[in-house]
Coordinates of all heavy atoms in Angstrom, one line a residue:
M202 N -95.0 -130.8 56.7 CA -93.7 -131.5 57.0 C -94.0 -133.0 56.9 O -94.9 -133.5 57.7 CB -93.2 -131.1 58.3 CG -92.1 -131.9 58.9 SD -91.3 -131.2 60.3 CE -92.7 -130.9 61.4
D203 N -93.3 -133.8 56.1 CA -93.5 -135.2 56.0 C -92.4 -135.9 56.6 O -91.3 -135.9 56.2 CB -93.6 -135.7 54.5 CG -94.9 -135.2 53.9 OD1 -95.9 -135.1 54.6 OD2 -94.9 -134.8 52.7
V204 N -92.7 -136.6 57.8 CA -91.6 -137.3 58.5 C -91.6 -138.7 57.9 O -92.6 -139.3 57.4 CB -91.8 -137.4 60.0 CG1 -91.8 -136.0 60.6 CG2 -93.1 -138.1 60.4
Q205 N -90.4 -139.3 57.9 CA -90.2 -140.6 57.3 C -91.0 -141.7 58.0 O -91.6 -142.6 57.3 CB -88.7 -140.9 57.3 CG -88.4 -142.2 56.5 CD -86.9 -142.3 56.1 OE1 -86.4 -141.3 55.6 NE2 -86.3 -143.4 56.3
D206 N -91.0 -141.6 59.3 CA -91.8 -142.7 60.0 C -92.7 -142.0 61.1 O -92.2 -141.4 62.1 CB -90.8 -143.6 60.7 CG -91.4 -144.8 61.4 OD1 -92.6 -144.7 61.8 OD2 -90.8 -145.9 61.5
Q207 N -94.0 -142.0 60.8 CA -94.9 -141.3 61.7 C -94.8 -141.8 63.1 O -95.0 -141.1 64.1 CB -96.3 -141.5 61.2 CG -96.6 -140.9 59.9 CD -96.7 -139.3 59.9 OE1 -96.8 -138.7 61.0 NE2 -96.6 -138.7 58.7
D208 N -94.5 -143.1 63.3 CA -94.5 -143.7 64.6 C -93.2 -143.3 65.4 O -93.2 -143.3 66.6 CB -94.6 -145.2 64.5 CG -96.0 -145.6 64.0 OD1 -97.0 -144.9 64.2 OD2 -96.1 -146.7 63.3
K209 N -92.2 -143.1 64.6 CA -90.9 -142.7 65.2 C -90.3 -141.5 64.4 O -89.4 -141.7 63.7 CB -89.9 -143.9 65.1 CG -90.3 -145.2 65.8 CD -89.3 -146.3 65.5 CE -89.4 -146.8 64.1 NZ -88.4 -147.9 63.8
P210 N -90.9 -140.4 64.6 CA -90.5 -139.2 63.8 C -89.0 -138.8 64.0 O -88.5 -138.3 63.0 CB -91.4 -138.1 64.3 CG -91.9 -138.5 65.7 CD -91.9 -140.0 65.6
S211 N -88.4 -139.2 65.1 CA -87.0 -138.8 65.3 C -86.1 -140.1 65.1 O -84.9 -140.0 65.5 CB -86.8 -138.2 66.7 OG -87.6 -137.0 66.8
G212 N -86.6 -141.1 64.6 CA -85.9 -142.3 64.3 C -85.9 -143.3 65.5 O -86.6 -143.0 66.5
P213 N -85.2 -144.4 65.4 CA -84.3 -144.7 64.3 C -84.9 -144.9 63.0 O -86.0 -145.6 62.9 CB -83.5 -145.9 64.8 CG -84.4 -146.6 65.8 CD -85.3 -145.5 66.4
V214 N -84.4 -144.4 61.9 CA -84.8 -144.6 60.5 C -83.6 -144.9 59.7 O -82.5 -144.5 60.0 CB -85.6 -143.5 59.9 CG1 -86.9 -143.2 60.7 CG2 -84.8 -142.2 59.8
T215 N -83.8 -145.7 58.6 CA -82.8 -146.0 57.7 C -82.9 -145.1 56.5 O -83.9 -144.9 55.9 CB -82.9 -147.5 57.2 OG1 -82.8 -148.3 58.4 CG2 -81.8 -147.8 56.3
V216 N -81.7 -144.5 56.1 CA -81.7 -143.5 55.0 C -80.5 -144.0 54.2 O -79.3 -143.8 54.6 CB -81.5 -142.1 55.4 CG1 -81.3 -141.2 54.2 CG2 -82.7 -141.6 56.3
G217 N -80.7 -144.7 53.0 CA -79.6 -145.2 52.3 C -78.9 -146.2 53.1 O -79.5 -147.2 53.7
E218 N -77.6 -146.0 53.3 CA -76.8 -146.9 54.1 C -76.7 -146.5 55.5 O -76.0 -147.1 56.3 CB -75.4 -147.1 53.5 CG -75.4 -147.7 52.2 CD -73.9 -148.0 51.7 OE1 -73.0 -147.3 52.1 OE2 -73.8 -148.9 50.8
L219 N -77.3 -145.3 55.8 CA -77.2 -144.8 57.2 C -78.4 -145.1 58.0 O -79.5 -145.3 57.6 CB -77.1 -143.2 57.1 CG -76.0 -142.6 56.3 CD1 -76.1 -141.1 56.4 CD2 -74.6 -143.1 56.7
E220 N -78.1 -145.2 59.3 CA -79.2 -145.3 60.3 C -79.1 -144.0 61.2 O -78.0 -143.7 61.6 CB -79.1 -146.5 61.2 CG -80.3 -146.7 62.1 CD -80.4 -148.0 62.8 OE1 -79.4 -148.8 62.8 OE2 -81.5 -148.3 63.4
I221 N -80.2 -143.3 61.3 CA -80.2 -142.0 62.0 C -81.2 -142.1 63.1 O -82.3 -142.5 63.0 CB -80.6 -140.9 61.0 CG1 -79.8 -140.9 59.8 CG2 -80.5 -139.5 61.7 CD1 -80.3 -139.9 58.7
I222 N -80.7 -141.5 64.3 CA -81.6 -141.4 65.4 C -81.3 -140.1 66.1 O -80.2 -139.7 66.3 CB -81.5 -142.6 66.4 CG1 -82.6 -142.4 67.5 CG2 -80.1 -142.8 66.9 CD1 -82.8 -143.7 68.3
V223 N -82.4 -139.4 66.5 CA -82.3 -138.2 67.3 C -82.8 -138.5 68.7 O -83.9 -139.1 68.9 CB -83.2 -137.0 66.7 CG1 -83.1 -135.8 67.6 CG2 -82.8 -136.7 65.3
D224 N -82.0 -138.2 69.7 CA -82.3 -138.3 71.1 C -83.3 -137.1 71.4 O -82.8 -136.0 71.6 CB -81.1 -138.3 71.9 CG -81.4 -138.2 73.4 OD1 -82.6 -138.4 73.8 OD2 -80.5 -138.0 74.2
R225 N -84.6 -137.4 71.4 CA -85.6 -136.4 71.6 C -85.4 -135.7 73.0 O -85.7 -134.5 73.2 CB -87.0 -136.9 71.5 CG -87.3 -137.2 70.0 CD -88.8 -137.7 69.9 NE -89.8 -136.7 70.2 CZ -90.2 -135.8 69.3 NH1 -89.7 -135.7 68.1 NH2 -91.1 -134.9 69.7
D226 N -85.0 -136.5 74.0 CA -84.8 -135.9 75.3 C -83.6 -135.0 75.3 O -83.6 -134.0 76.1 CB -84.6 -137.0 76.4 CG -85.9 -137.8 76.6 OD1 -87.0 -137.2 76.3 OD2 -85.8 -139.0 76.9
G227 N -82.6 -135.3 74.5 CA -81.4 -134.5 74.5 C -81.5 -133.3 73.6 O -80.9 -132.2 73.8
C228 N -82.3 -133.4 72.6 CA -82.5 -132.3 71.6 C -83.0 -131.0 72.3 O -84.1 -131.1 73.0 CB -83.4 -132.7 70.5 SG -83.8 -131.4 69.3
I229 N -82.3 -129.9 72.1 CA -82.8 -128.6 72.7 C -83.3 -127.7 71.6 O -83.6 -126.5 71.9 CB -81.6 -128.0 73.4 CG1 -80.4 -127.7 72.5 CG2 -81.2 -128.8 74.6 CD1 -79.3 -126.9 73.1
G230 N -83.6 -128.2 70.4 CA -84.2 -127.4 69.4 C -83.3 -126.2 68.9 O -83.8 -125.2 68.4
A231 N -82.0 -126.4 69.0 CA -81.1 -125.4 68.6 C -81.1 -125.1 67.1 O -80.6 -124.1 66.6 CB -79.7 -125.7 69.1
S232 N -81.6 -126.1 66.3 CA -81.7 -126.0 64.8 C -80.4 -126.0 64.1 O -80.4 -125.8 62.9 CB -82.4 -124.7 64.4 OG -83.7 -124.7 64.9
A233 N -79.3 -126.2 64.8 CA -78.0 -126.2 64.1 C -77.9 -127.3 63.0 O -77.1 -127.3 62.1 CB -76.8 -126.3 65.1
C234 N -78.7 -128.4 63.2 CA -78.6 -129.5 62.3 C -79.3 -129.2 61.0 O -79.2 -129.9 60.0 CB -79.3 -130.7 62.9 SG -81.0 -130.5 63.5
I235 N -80.1 -128.2 60.9 CA -81.0 -128.0 59.8 C -80.3 -127.3 58.6 O -80.4 -127.9 57.5 CB -82.3 -127.2 60.2 CG1 -83.1 -128.1 61.2 CG2 -83.2 -126.9 59.0 CD1 -84.2 -127.4 61.8
P236 N -79.5 -126.3 58.8 CA -78.9 -125.7 57.6 C -78.0 -126.7 56.8 O -78.0 -126.7 55.6 CB -78.1 -124.5 58.1 CG -78.8 -124.1 59.3 CD -79.3 -125.4 59.9
P237 N -77.2 -127.5 57.4 CA -76.4 -128.5 56.7 C -77.2 -129.5 55.9 O -76.7 -130.1 54.9 CB -75.4 -129.1 57.7 CG -75.5 -128.3 58.9 CD -76.9 -127.6 58.9
A238 N -78.4 -129.9 56.4 CA -79.1 -131.0 55.8 C -80.6 -130.7 56.0 O -81.3 -131.4 56.7 CB -78.7 -132.3 56.6
D239 N -81.1 -129.7 55.2 CA -82.5 -129.3 55.4 C -83.5 -130.2 54.7 O -84.7 -130.1 54.9 CB -82.7 -127.8 55.1 CG -82.4 -127.5 53.6 OD1 -82.1 -128.4 52.9 OD2 -82.6 -126.3 53.3
K240 N -83.0 -131.2 53.9 CA -83.9 -132.2 53.4 C -84.1 -133.3 54.4 O -85.0 -134.1 54.2 CB -83.3 -132.8 52.1 CG -83.2 -131.8 50.9 CD -82.8 -132.5 49.7 CE -82.4 -131.6 48.6 NZ -81.0 -131.2 48.7
T241 N -83.2 -133.4 55.4 CA -83.2 -134.5 56.3 C -83.9 -134.1 57.7 O -84.6 -134.9 58.2 CB -81.8 -135.0 56.6 OG1 -81.2 -135.3 55.4 CG2 -81.8 -136.1 57.6
F242 N -83.5 -132.9 58.2 CA -84.0 -132.5 59.5 C -84.9 -131.3 59.5 O -84.7 -130.4 58.7 CB -82.8 -132.3 60.4 CG -81.9 -133.4 60.6 CD1 -80.6 -133.5 60.0 CD2 -82.2 -134.5 61.4 CE1 -79.8 -134.5 60.2 CE2 -81.4 -135.6 61.5 CZ -80.2 -135.6 60.9
A243 N -85.9 -131.4 60.4 CA -86.8 -130.2 60.6 C -87.2 -130.3 62.1 O -87.0 -131.3 62.7 CB -88.0 -130.2 59.7
L244 N -87.7 -129.2 62.6 CA -88.2 -129.2 64.0 C -89.7 -129.5 63.9 O -90.5 -128.9 63.1 CB -88.0 -127.9 64.7 CG -86.5 -127.5 65.0 CD1 -86.5 -126.3 65.8 CD2 -85.8 -128.7 65.7
D245 N -90.2 -130.3 64.9 CA -91.6 -130.5 64.9 C -92.2 -129.5 65.9 O -91.6 -128.6 66.4 CB -92.0 -132.0 65.4 CG -91.5 -132.3 66.8 OD1 -91.1 -131.4 67.5 OD2 -91.5 -133.5 67.1
D246 N -93.5 -129.6 66.2 CA -94.2 -128.6 67.0 C -93.8 -128.7 68.5 O -94.2 -127.8 69.3 CB -95.7 -128.6 66.8 CG -96.3 -129.9 67.1 OD1 -95.6 -130.8 67.6 OD2 -97.5 -130.1 66.7
E247 N -93.0 -129.7 68.8 CA -92.4 -129.7 70.2 C -91.0 -129.2 70.2 O -90.3 -129.2 71.2 CB -92.4 -131.2 70.7 CG -93.8 -131.8 70.9 CD -93.8 -133.2 71.3 OE1 -92.8 -133.7 71.8 OE2 -94.9 -133.9 71.1
G248 N -90.5 -128.7 69.1 CA -89.2 -128.2 69.0 C -88.1 -129.2 69.0 O -87.0 -129.0 69.4
K249 N -88.5 -130.4 68.5 CA -87.5 -131.5 68.5 C -87.3 -131.9 67.0 O -88.2 -131.8 66.2 CB -88.1 -132.8 69.2 CG -88.6 -132.6 70.6 CD -87.4 -132.3 71.5 CE -87.8 -132.2 73.0 NZ -86.7 -131.9 73.9
A250 N -86.0 -132.2 66.7 CA -85.6 -132.6 65.4 C -86.3 -133.9 64.9 O -86.3 -134.9 65.7 CB -84.1 -132.6 65.3
V251 N -86.8 -133.9 63.7 CA -87.4 -135.1 63.1 C -86.7 -135.3 61.8 O -86.1 -134.5 61.2 CB -88.9 -134.9 62.9 CG1 -89.6 -134.8 64.3 CG2 -89.3 -133.7 62.1
I252 N -86.9 -136.5 61.3 CA -86.3 -137.0 60.0 C -87.3 -137.0 58.9 O -88.3 -137.7 59.1 CB -85.6 -138.3 60.3 CG1 -84.5 -138.1 61.4 CG2 -84.9 -138.8 59.0 CD1 -84.2 -139.4 62.1
L253 N -87.0 -136.3 57.8 CA -88.0 -136.1 56.8 C -87.9 -137.2 55.7 O -86.9 -137.9 55.5 CB -87.7 -134.8 56.1 CG -87.8 -133.6 57.0 CD1 -87.3 -132.3 56.3 CD2 -89.2 -133.4 57.6
T254 N -89.0 -137.4 54.9 CA -89.1 -138.3 53.8 C -88.0 -138.0 52.8 O -87.5 -138.9 52.1 CB -90.4 -138.3 53.1 OG1 -90.8 -137.0 52.8 CG2 -91.5 -138.9 54.0
T255 N -87.7 -136.7 52.7 CA -86.7 -136.3 51.6 C -85.2 -136.5 52.0 O -84.3 -136.2 51.3 CB -86.9 -134.8 51.4 OG1 -87.0 -134.1 52.6 CG2 -88.1 -134.5 50.5
A256 N -85.0 -137.2 53.2 CA -83.7 -137.4 53.6 C -82.9 -138.2 52.6 O -81.7 -138.1 52.5 CB -83.7 -138.2 55.0
S257 N -83.6 -139.1 51.9 CA -82.9 -139.9 50.9 C -82.2 -139.1 49.7 O -81.4 -139.6 49.0 CB -83.8 -141.0 50.3 OG -84.9 -140.4 49.7
Q258 N -82.7 -137.9 49.6 CA -82.1 -137.0 48.6 C -80.9 -136.2 49.0 O -80.3 -135.5 48.3 CB -83.2 -136.0 48.1 CG -84.4 -136.6 47.5 CD -85.6 -135.6 47.4 OE1 -85.4 -134.4 47.3 NE2 -86.8 -136.2 47.3
E259 N -80.6 -136.4 50.3 CA -79.5 -135.6 50.9 C -78.2 -136.3 50.7 O -78.2 -137.6 50.8 CB -79.8 -135.4 52.4 CG -79.0 -134.4 53.1 CD -79.7 -133.0 53.2 OE1 -80.7 -132.9 53.8 OE2 -79.2 -132.1 52.5
E260 N -77.1 -135.6 50.5 CA -75.8 -136.2 50.5 C -75.5 -136.8 51.9 O -75.7 -136.1 52.9 CB -74.7 -135.2 50.1 CG -74.8 -134.7 48.7 CD -74.5 -135.7 47.7 OE1 -73.7 -136.6 48.0 OE2 -75.0 -135.5 46.5
E261 N -74.9 -138.0 51.9 CA -74.5 -138.6 53.2 C -73.6 -137.7 54.0 O -73.8 -137.6 55.2 CB -73.8 -139.9 52.8 CG -73.7 -140.9 53.9 CD -73.1 -142.2 53.4 OE1 -73.8 -143.1 52.9 OE2 -71.9 -142.4 53.6
A262 N -72.7 -137.1 53.3 CA -71.7 -136.2 54.1 C -72.4 -135.1 54.7 O -72.0 -134.6 55.8 CB -70.6 -135.7 53.1
D263 N -73.5 -134.6 54.1 CA -74.2 -133.4 54.7 C -75.0 -133.9 55.9 O -75.1 -133.1 56.9 CB -75.2 -132.8 53.7 CG -74.4 -132.1 52.5 OD1 -73.2 -131.7 52.8 OD2 -75.0 -132.0 51.5
I264 N -75.5 -135.1 55.9 CA -76.2 -135.6 57.1 C -75.2 -135.8 58.3 O -75.5 -135.4 59.4 CB -76.9 -137.0 56.8 CG1 -78.0 -136.8 55.8 CG2 -77.4 -137.6 58.1 CD1 -78.6 -138.0 55.3
V265 N -74.0 -136.3 57.9 CA -73.0 -136.4 59.0 C -72.6 -135.0 59.5 O -72.4 -134.8 60.7 CB -71.7 -137.2 58.4 CG1 -70.6 -137.1 59.4 CG2 -72.1 -138.6 58.1
D266 N -72.4 -134.1 58.6 CA -72.1 -132.7 59.0 C -73.1 -132.1 59.9 O -72.8 -131.5 60.9 CB -71.9 -131.8 57.8 CG -70.6 -131.9 57.1 OD1 -69.7 -132.6 57.6 OD2 -70.4 -131.4 56.0
A267 N -74.4 -132.4 59.6 CA -75.5 -131.9 60.4 C -75.4 -132.5 61.8 O -75.6 -131.8 62.8 CB -76.8 -132.2 59.8
A268 N -75.2 -133.8 61.9 CA -75.1 -134.4 63.2 C -74.0 -133.9 64.0 O -74.1 -133.6 65.2 CB -75.0 -135.9 63.0
R269 N -72.8 -133.6 63.3 CA -71.7 -133.0 64.1 C -71.9 -131.6 64.5 O -71.3 -131.1 65.4 CB -70.4 -133.1 63.2 CG -70.0 -134.6 63.0 CD -68.6 -134.6 62.3 NE -68.2 -136.0 62.3 CZ -67.6 -136.6 61.3 NH1 -67.4 -136.0 60.2 NH2 -67.3 -137.9 61.3
A270 N -72.8 -130.9 63.8 CA -73.1 -129.5 64.1 C -74.0 -129.4 65.4 O -74.1 -128.3 66.0 CB -73.8 -128.8 63.0
C271 N -74.6 -130.5 65.8 CA -75.5 -130.4 67.0 C -74.7 -130.1 68.2 O -73.8 -130.8 68.6 CB -76.3 -131.7 67.1 SG -77.3 -131.7 68.6
P272 N -75.1 -129.0 68.9 CA -74.3 -128.6 70.1 C -74.3 -129.6 71.2 O -73.5 -129.6 72.1 CB -74.9 -127.2 70.5 CG -76.2 -127.2 69.9 CD -76.2 -128.0 68.6
V273 N -75.4 -130.4 71.3 CA -75.5 -131.3 72.4 C -75.4 -132.8 71.9 O -75.6 -133.7 72.6 CB -76.8 -131.2 73.1 CG1 -76.9 -129.8 73.8 CG2 -78.0 -131.3 72.2
L274 N -74.9 -132.9 70.6 CA -74.7 -134.3 70.0 C -75.9 -135.2 70.2 O -75.8 -136.3 70.6 CB -73.4 -134.9 70.6 CG -72.1 -134.2 70.2 CD1 -70.9 -134.9 70.9 CD2 -71.9 -134.1 68.7
A275 N -77.1 -134.6 69.9 CA -78.3 -135.4 70.1 C -78.6 -136.3 68.9 O -79.5 -137.1 68.9 CB -79.5 -134.5 70.3
I276 N -77.8 -136.2 67.8 CA -78.0 -137.0 66.6 C -76.9 -138.0 66.5 O -75.8 -137.7 66.5 CB -78.0 -136.1 65.3 CG1 -79.0 -135.0 65.4 CG2 -78.3 -137.0 64.1 CD1 -78.9 -134.0 64.2
K277 N -77.4 -139.3 66.3 CA -76.5 -140.4 66.1 C -76.6 -140.9 64.7 O -77.7 -141.1 64.3 CB -76.8 -141.5 67.2 CG -75.7 -142.5 67.3 CD -76.1 -143.4 68.5 CE -75.1 -144.6 68.5 NZ -75.6 -145.6 69.4
V278 N -75.5 -141.1 64.0 CA -75.5 -141.6 62.7 C -74.7 -142.9 62.6 O -73.5 -142.8 63.1 CB -75.0 -140.6 61.7 CG1 -75.1 -141.2 60.2 CG2 -75.8 -139.3 61.7
M279 N -75.2 -144.0 62.1 CA -74.5 -145.2 62.0 C -74.4 -145.7 60.6 O -75.4 -145.4 59.8 CB -75.1 -146.3 62.9 CG -74.8 -146.1 64.4 SD -76.1 -146.9 65.3 CE -77.4 -145.8 65.1
K280 N -73.4 -146.3 60.2 CA -73.3 -147.0 58.9 C -72.7 -148.3 59.0 O -71.6 -148.5 59.6 CB -72.4 -146.1 58.0 CG -72.3 -146.6 56.5 CD -71.5 -145.6 55.7 CE -71.6 -146.0 54.2 NZ -70.9 -145.1 53.4
N281 N -73.3 -149.3 58.5 CA -72.9 -150.7 58.7 C -72.6 -151.0 60.1 O -71.5 -151.7 60.4 CB -71.7 -151.0 57.8 CG -72.0 -150.7 56.3 OD1 -73.1 -151.0 55.9 ND2 -71.0 -150.1 55.6
G282 N -73.4 -150.6 61.0 CA -73.2 -150.9 62.4 C -72.1 -150.1 63.1 O -71.9 -150.3 64.3
E283 N -71.5 -149.2 62.4 CA -70.4 -148.4 63.0 C -70.9 -147.0 63.2 O -71.5 -146.4 62.4 CB -69.2 -148.4 62.0 CG -67.9 -147.8 62.5 CD -66.9 -147.7 61.4 OE1 -66.8 -148.7 60.6 OE2 -66.1 -146.8 61.3
D284 N -70.5 -146.4 64.4 CA -70.9 -145.0 64.7 C -70.1 -144.0 63.9 O -68.9 -144.0 64.0 CB -70.7 -144.7 66.2 CG -71.7 -145.5 67.1 OD1 -72.7 -146.1 66.5 OD2 -71.5 -145.5 68.3
L285 N -70.8 -143.2 63.1 CA -70.1 -142.1 62.4 C -70.1 -140.9 63.3 O -69.2 -140.0 63.2 CB -70.7 -141.8 61.0 CG -70.7 -143.0 60.0 CD1 -71.3 -142.5 58.7 CD2 -69.3 -143.5 59.8
V286 N -71.2 -140.7 64.0 CA -71.4 -139.5 64.9 C -72.0 -140.0 66.1 O -73.0 -140.7 66.0 CB -72.2 -138.4 64.2 CG1 -72.3 -137.2 65.1 CG2 -71.7 -138.0 62.9
Ligands
LIG453 S1 -78.9 -129.3 66.4 FE1 -79.3 -130.9 67.9 S2 -80.4 -129.9 69.5 FE2 -80.5 -128.6 67.7 S3 -82.4 -129.3 66.7 FE3 -80.8 -130.4 65.8 S4 -80.8 -132.3 67.1 FE4 -81.9 -130.8 68.2

């Protein structure tokens, strides 16, 4: 599994025009974010969602859908400084 930023595996990272961050304390490892955007999100060995190098190949709408699918809203997505999720 190749995370985009080894120092900040759960972000914040920039993907295209989006900034993505996963709240690692809030993430419960439910995996709901993975099916909508499996190029972007995966679980690490602590069961926390991380952001992959392949995120740039994902459709923006799918990343937003994935963030909305999180049952505890642990994923935040921003575009041009505006919160999308
Ligand atoms: S859906 Fe939310 S709680 Fe589940 S792995 Fe993704 S970020 Fe974590």
Side-chain angles (χ1 to χ4, degrees):
M202 167 169 55
D203 290 325
V204 298
Q205 185 160 314
D206 187 331
Q207 296 288 345
D208 295 329
K209 299 178 290 178
S211 299
V214 297
T215 300
V216 176
E218 294 187 337
L219 302 182
E220 187 170 13
I221 307 172
I222 184 166
V223 177
D224 171 9
R225 288 183 65 85
D226 293 332
C228 176
I229 57 171
S232 298
C234 56
I235 298 173
D239 64 359
K240 296 189 194 79
T241 302
F242 298 108
L244 292 187
D245 66 10
D246 54 12
E247 295 176 18
K249 304 292 183 180
V251 294
I252 301 156
L253 303 172
T254 51
T255 46
S257 59
Q258 299 166 24
E259 195 93 66
E260 295 289 336
E261 200 173 273
D263 290 337
I264 295 175
V265 170
D266 282 349
R269 290 192 174 135
C271 176
V273 292
L274 294 178
I276 304 174
K277 191 171 173 191
V278 181
M279 284 156 288
K280 184 175 186 178
N281 301 323
E283 188 182 323
D284 289 350
L285 300 182
V286 185

